[in-house]
Amino acid sequence: MLVLHQLKRLLSDDCLVWHDIPVGTQARQPDFFIFSPRQGLLALEVKETRRPGA
């Protein structure tokens, strides 16, 4: 998964990245959770897009 590899490459080593973790009573699944000890927790939803001509 391209986004996961990019996140791991670009984020600092103390960040943790999880993907497709069920959350809440309806078990919704944000694409990624990113945890930084300095900045907190971020739930990230990635939308698929295509580049022109791709």
Side-chain angles (χ1 to χ4, degrees), residues 21-30:
I21 304 292
V23 177
T25 57
Q26 295 181 352
R28 306 234 179 204
Q29 293 183 340

Side-chain angles (χ1 to χ4, degrees), residues 15-49:
C15 288
L16 299 173
V17 178
W18 297 277
H19 65 93
D20 296 328
I21 304 292
V23 177
T25 57
Q26 295 181 352
R28 306 234 179 204
Q29 293 183 340
D31 291 324
F32 299 96
F33 281 103
I34 302 167
F35 175 73
S36 166
R38 292 185 309 268
Q39 297 174 320
L41 184 66
L42 171 69
L44 180 64
E45 185 71 25
V46 177
K47 300 299 179 195
E48 183 178 344
T49 61

Side-chain angles (χ1 to χ4, degrees), residues 1-13:
M1 176 176 271
L2 179 63
V3 175
L4 178 60
H5 293 294
Q6 289 288 55
L7 287 171
K8 288 183 175 184
R9 186 176 73 81
L10 295 171
L11 294 170
S12 63
D13 290 340

